[in-house]
Structures are given as C-alpha cells and as structure tokens.
C-alpha cells in the first residue's frame, strides 16, 4: 500500500483514489444525513463517554432510553463515582455486559481523584483511565475535545476494509492498529469530530455488516475500491469464531404467597453481582424439581417457557418452572413483582421468566 497526502494507492489491486475527495464526499453526506441522537445534541465529554460505553455491542435504538435515564439519574462524574453498584446495575439492566458500567464507576473515581471530577482532554490521558480503550479514547478526544485523532470501531474497520480492499483479519489487534494509522491520514485537521462520526454513521446505516453494503446509495461509492472491483460484499475478513459451549439449566422461580425468590450472584465472574432466579444444572423433570424443593413444602409446580441466551463464549439453554411453596427459604431475597422491577437488576438471560411473572 502506497500513500501520500492526497492519493491512496493499492499496488496489489492497481487502484487508487483521491483522499481529499473521499473526505469531502463523506462530510457533505454526514452534514445532510446525520441522525438526531441525544448524545449528539449536547456533546459534552461526559455525555459522549456514557454514550460510547453504552453503544459497545448494543444497537442505537436500544441505547436511547437507557442513555436518557442514566444521564437524568447520574448527571456528572462526581455523582457516578459515588453511586452504589446496585443502583448502577438497575440502570444498566437489559443492556448486558455489566462490567462496562462498573468500569465506568472506577474511571469516574480516578477522574475525581486526579482530574478534578472531569475527563482529561487529550487522547493520551484518556487512554490511561480504567475502562477506556483506544477507540473510546479516540471518540471522546475527537468528538468532545476536537483532537485530530482516529476513533476506530467495528463500523470504521468495515468501511475502510471495503474502501481500500484491505484483506487482513480485522479482529487482530495489530490490524486494528494498522487501520488507526490509515484512518489518521484522512482526518481533516479541524473537522475530526464530524469525520469520525461520519465514518461511524456510514458503517451503521449504509456500509452495513453481514455482507450487505448498500453501495447503490453510498456517498463514497465512486472512491470505494471494494465496490469498484466487486469485493465489498466479501469484506471485511474475520477469523471464524470458536464454537460456544452449551450449558443446560432448569430455572426454578420460587413463589411464596405474593413474593418471588431471587439471589445475588457472586461478585466475580459472569453476571457478577446481579440477581437471578434459582436454577438447577441440566434439564430437570417436574418430579425432580418437586423433590429438590420438598423441604419448603411444594404446593404447586407449573411449566414456564423454554428460553435461550447467548453470551460471547457460552449459550444457556433453559427450561423453567414456577414453584409455589408454603415455607420460604431464609437465604436470598423475597420480593413482590413491583419490588423486583424497581430494585433488583435481573440479567437479560432471565427475561423470558421475568416476563412470564407479569402475566401471572
């Protein structure tokens, strides 16, 4: 790959494009087509940070209500630094990957201790904070502070792999660093915020994943080498994912009068610190479940829906029962459905069972 200030030339493909023209096309399109998003309307460093963490592995439409509620409840970094973990978990309930919000609290505490309760205003300083990686640091530095630095997320990796016909595995950290250097060469010195957001927007709305780019309406199609040589639909390249481990579980929702039983998971590991319904390993029969809980005098037991939840490395395949008992166990928490919804963060993995209770 040969590059200078204006031209990017791929010697393997014998193709080139005008960098300045591509940048202009992208910015012109973005200025006319950018979605109205709550974190864009007022792009303070804190709001940009919260939105970027929430948007990791989560769709924009899903994030909007969470963002508004989070900002209304926790309006600044000092407040975040002093918020209880259970409150954070409840605000985050349904977004998944809860470690994100716990790392945000750690970061906020460092900001209070070392930066006067604010995020530092340079990429280098942001990168030193807990829970902030290269992409998030680049996004905050460029969008909130105007620093001329790349912010390379999955959207940007996908766009540039197609634009320049780069065929390396984009999941490799070395390749991501290479892309960051390439993207850096395209950023207009005084429009880093708009440029980085335009790339993300293009990747989210037009140069979409799953081998289905909407090249017919892409503003930079005439400067996209993948489109011109017919390779856009086959890029980017990613290493095949490892097969997820299947774990079979029987979810047992214990009910005593008008209250349901939940217990808190361990403070470390998967879904750390969240609340869950009781469960047994493997698929258990109604008879086996009744026998297991006989010490609490099972009054009635009824089938609940089957469910499945996919984590990054495992899948839970679940069968469930509503188990009505006449004696409450002492461990864990007994709460009404209203209390459960208001105060206890239940992982999305148990959504089917939480929803079933609302129909009772």
């Amino acid at each position: 790959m040969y590059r200078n200030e204006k031209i990017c030339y791929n010697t393997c493909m014998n193709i080139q494009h005008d960098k300045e023209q591509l940048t202009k096309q992208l910015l012109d399109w973005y200025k006319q087509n950018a979605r109205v998003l709550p974190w864009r309307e007022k792009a303070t460093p804190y709001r940009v940070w919260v939105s970027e963490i929430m948007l990791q592995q989560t769709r924009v439409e899903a994030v909007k209500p969470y963002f508004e509620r989070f900002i209304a409840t926790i309006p600044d970094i000092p407040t975040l630094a002093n918020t209880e973990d259970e409150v954070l978990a409840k605000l985050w309930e349904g977004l998944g990957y809860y470690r994100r919000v716990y790392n945000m609290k750690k970061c906020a505490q460092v900001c209070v201790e070392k930066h006067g309760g604010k995020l530092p205003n340079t990429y280098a300083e942001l990168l030193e904070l807990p829970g902030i990686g290269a992409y998030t640091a680049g996004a905050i530095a460029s969008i909130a502070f105007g620093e001329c630095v790349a912010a390379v997320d999955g959207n940007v990796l996908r766009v540039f792999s197609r634009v320049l016909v780069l065929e390396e595995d984009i999941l490799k950290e070395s390749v991501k660093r290479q892309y960051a250097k390439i993207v850096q060469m395209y950023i207009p010195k005084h429009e880093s915020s708009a440029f980085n957001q335009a790339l993300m927007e293009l990747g989210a709305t037009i140069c979409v994943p799953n081998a289905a780019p909407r090249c017919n309406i892409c503003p930079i199609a005439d400067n996209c080498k993948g489109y011109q040589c017919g390779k856009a639909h086959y890029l980017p390249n990613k290493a095949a994912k490892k097969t997820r481990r299947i774990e079979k579980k029987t979810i047992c929702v214990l009910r005593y009068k008008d209250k349901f039983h939940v217990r808190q998971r361990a403070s470390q590991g998967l879904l750390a610190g969240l609340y869950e319904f009781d469960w047994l390993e493997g698929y258990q029969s109604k008879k086996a479940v009744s026998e297991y809980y006989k010490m609490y005098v099972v009054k009635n037991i009824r089938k609940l829906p089957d469910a499945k939840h996919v984590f990054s490395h495992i899948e839970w395949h679940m069968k469930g029962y509503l188990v009505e008992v006449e004696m409450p166990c002492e461990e864990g928490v007994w709460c009404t459905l209203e209390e459960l919804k208001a105060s206890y963060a239940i992982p999305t993995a148990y959504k089917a069972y939480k929803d079933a209770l609302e129909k009772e």
Side-chain angles (χ1 to χ4, degrees):
M1 186 74 68
Y2 166 75
R3 310 177 189 91
N4 62 26
E5 287 302 313
K6 288 191 174 183
I7 301 297
C8 184
Y9 185 74
N10 186 322
T11 54
C12 295
M13 301 295 299
N14 193 29
I15 49 180
Q16 67 181 36
H17 71 212
D18 187 316
K19 289 160 49 182
E20 290 185 355
Q21 184 185 53
L22 180 147
T23 298
K24 184 178 185 306
Q25 290 171 330
L26 183 63
L27 289 174
D28 287 348
W29 168 81
Y30 179 69
K31 289 170 184 175
Q32 296 178 34
N33 295 279
R35 290 170 294 178
V36 176
L37 302 174
W39 45 89
R40 284 180 178 165
E41 294 174 357
K42 186 180 179 183
T44 64
Y46 179 65
R47 289 168 67 88
V48 171
W49 175 41
V50 172
S51 69
E52 289 298 341
I53 299 299
M54 285 188 170
L55 287 165
Q56 292 172 11
Q57 305 186 52
T58 310
R59 295 178 300 104
V60 166
E61 290 305 313
V63 163
K64 285 181 181 179
Y66 283 94
F67 177 82
E68 299 282 17
R69 184 177 63 169
F70 193 94
I71 292 295
T73 307
I74 306 176
D76 52 40
I77 286 176
T79 304
L80 175 57
N82 289 289
T83 301
E84 295 291 335
D85 285 354
E86 289 195 7
V87 174
L88 292 177
K90 190 61 185 175
L91 287 170
W92 210 263
E93 184 181 26
L95 276 177
Y97 301 98
Y98 288 81
R99 188 174 298 277
R100 291 181 293 173
V101 73
Y102 299 141
N103 283 339
M104 285 179 68
K105 178 178 177 178
K106 292 177 184 176
C107 181
Q109 291 170 338
V110 172
C111 287
V112 168
E113 182 182 336
K114 297 184 177 181
H115 301 286
K118 297 180 179 180
L119 288 165
N121 61 6
T122 68
Y123 173 81
E125 290 177 294
L126 287 163
L127 203 54
E128 293 179 357
L129 296 172
I132 294 186
Y135 163 71
T136 306
I140 298 169
S142 62
I143 297 171
F145 297 115
E147 184 175 352
C148 188
V149 61
V152 178
D153 68 349
N155 287 317
V156 176
L157 289 167
R158 183 169 58 257
V159 169
F160 264 83
S161 73
R162 291 168 174 170
V163 164
L164 298 179
V165 192
L166 302 176
E167 298 182 293
E168 298 91 342
D169 178 4
I170 64 167
L171 297 181
K172 292 182 177 179
E173 290 302 319
S174 59
V175 173
K176 292 179 183 179
R177 290 192 293 270
Q178 175 194 357
Y179 272 70
K181 292 177 181 178
I182 293 172
V183 174
Q184 187 70 45
M185 299 175 62
Y186 285 75
I187 304 175
K189 188 173 183 180
H190 300 297
E191 292 188 90
S192 59
S193 174
F195 180 81
N196 282 338
Q197 290 186 85
L199 274 181
M200 298 173 203
E201 191 81 348
L202 190 75
T205 61
I206 291 179
C207 197
V208 293
N210 303 320
R214 303 166 67 193
C215 300
N216 59 313
I217 60 170
C218 179
I220 60 172
D222 60 354
N223 265 306
C224 176
K225 303 308 136 189
Y227 172 65
Q228 292 175 21
C229 71
K231 285 200 169 188
H233 283 66
Y234 303 100
L235 294 168
N237 285 326
K238 298 180 183 179
K241 292 183 178 180
K242 295 181 180 179
T243 303
R244 285 187 288 265
R245 184 177 76 252
I246 305 296
E247 293 186 356
K248 296 178 179 179
K249 296 179 180 292
T250 298
I251 309 303
C252 301
V253 182
L254 301 186
R255 180 174 186 171
Y256 173 69
K257 296 183 179 179
D258 66 338
K259 295 188 175 183
F260 300 95
H261 186 253
V262 292
R263 59 190 187 188
Q264 191 170 24
R265 290 179 66 89
S267 59
Q268 300 293 323
L270 184 67
L271 304 176
L274 302 182
Y275 286 84
E276 64 179 357
F277 300 115
D278 292 69
W279 54 269
L280 304 175
E281 292 282 4
Y283 291 158
Q284 304 296 331
S285 67
K286 184 184 292 188
K287 182 179 180 181
V289 171
S290 183
E291 178 67 20
Y292 185 85
Y293 290 106
K294 66 181 181 180
M295 69 188 76
Y296 305 120
V297 187
V298 176
K299 180 180 178 181
N300 187 37
I301 183 166
R302 174 160 67 79
K303 191 79 172 65
L304 292 175
D306 294 346
K308 181 176 81 171
H309 188 77
V310 177
F311 297 95
S312 59
H313 58 298
I314 59 174
E315 289 184 20
W316 283 1
H317 291 195
M318 297 169 282
K319 294 184 178 295
Y321 295 97
L322 178 64
V323 184
E324 295 185 59
V325 298
E326 295 187 355
M327 293 177 59
C329 56
E330 295 182 1
E331 296 179 352
V333 177
W334 289 92
C335 58
T336 64
L337 182 58
E338 290 70 27
E339 291 170 337
L340 180 67
K341 291 163 64 176
S343 304
Y344 298 96
I346 304 294
T348 305
Y350 298 103
K351 183 177 186 301
Y353 301 104
K354 185 178 176 183
D355 289 349
L357 298 187
E358 297 194 21
K359 298 176 183 178
E360 288 294 311

